[in-house]
Amino acid sequence: MTPARRGSGPGGPAARRVISAVATWRAGQSGVLVVAIDGHGTAGKSTIAGDVADTTGAALVHTDDFFQPPPASAAAQPPLPQYYDWRRIRTQALEPLRAQRRAAFRRFDWSRGTGLDGVVTVGPADLILLEGVFSASPELSDLVDRSVFVDTPEHERLRRLRVQVTPENWDADWLIAQQAYFDLTRPPSSFDLIVSGTSSVRAGLQGGTP
């Protein structure tokens, strides 16, 4: 399945709140600002991040590009870090962009469900958006300045998921790992900003994981 990408308009209330917060955060620091936009799958993160990037010219990186199925030797219910190649997120995306260099990396091949697809290039910018589940994880926290949680009720997320993914293609272990991540590792209260994702997804967008 192909992950959702940029939005198609000036942005709704959630995107405007993120842009306003970015202006405030910028006042407190100089140089590159890295903002993680995290939340459950189908919460509306990609649309919000795309609208913010379209409005501000921010560099946009998706954690879905670094998705990786856990190895066969993984535990019965692998923890969320095993689903993302966070070392590549660091070395191939965040570190060069923070140094104001172009980032280039190969993305996960969603059409095949395994391996890597073509090369993605992201140009440097003063604002970097790292969008997707796991973007605010401890494994990346030293390279992320601020974090945004996209809050969408479970019943709405499941409705969107049913539209995008047939039940036989759901990854139940990923859903369990994701819930544990937001319950124990990065609860909503730990984020710098919480925005609503209930009006952020437009008809026709496709999600990434699960």
Side-chain angles (χ1 to χ4, degrees), residues 57-58 94-95 110 117 122-123 158 178 181 201:
L94 293 182
E95 289 177 358
W110 287 98
D117 197 358
V122 181
L158 290 177
Q178 173 194 233
Y181 169 74
V201 174

Side-chain angles (χ1 to χ4, degrees), residues 111-122:
S111 63
R112 292 191 301 133
T114 185
L116 298 177
D117 197 358
V119 175
V120 175
T121 59
V122 181

Side-chain angles (χ1 to χ4, degrees), residues 74-113:
Q77 291 181 345
L80 198 62
Q82 292 197 24
Y83 284 92
Y84 295 91
D85 194 342
W86 55 268
R87 292 176 179 85
R88 282 206 307 125
I89 298 176
R90 291 181 61 91
T91 60
Q92 297 180 13
L94 293 182
E95 289 177 358
L97 288 171
R98 284 200 72 104
Q100 298 185 309
R101 302 193 311 269
R102 180 177 66 97
F105 49 84
R106 294 185 66 193
R107 64 186 172 195
F108 181 72
D109 190 337
W110 287 98
S111 63
R112 292 191 301 133

Side-chain angles (χ1 to χ4, degrees), residues 32-85:
V32 174
L33 178 70
V34 180
V35 177
I37 300 183
D38 208 333
H40 291 268
T42 65
K45 303 176 301 299
S46 297
T47 301
I48 293 170
D51 285 338
V52 173
D54 286 341
T55 302
T56 64
L60 179 55
V61 177
H62 304 275
T63 60
D64 272 346
D65 286 346
F66 298 89
F67 184 81
Q68 60 178 12
S73 59
Q77 291 181 345
L80 198 62
Q82 292 197 24
Y83 284 92
Y84 295 91
D85 194 342

Side-chain angles (χ1 to χ4, degrees), residues 1-2 40-45 64 110 133 152-176 178-179 197 201-202 205-210:
M1 160 190 343
T2 303
H40 291 268
T42 65
K45 303 176 301 299
D64 272 346
W110 287 98
V133 178
T152 302
E154 182 179 18
H155 68 85
E156 173 61 15
R157 290 188 277 107
L158 290 177
R159 183 193 68 79
R160 296 172 183 175
L161 184 62
R162 292 188 186 102
V163 171
Q164 299 169 10
V165 185
T166 57
E168 59 268 22
N169 289 327
W170 290 13
D171 187 337
D173 287 340
W174 182 85
L175 292 171
I176 292 170
Q178 173 194 233
Q179 189 61 56
V201 174
R202 302 176 182 83
L205 287 180
Q206 294 182 321
T209 46

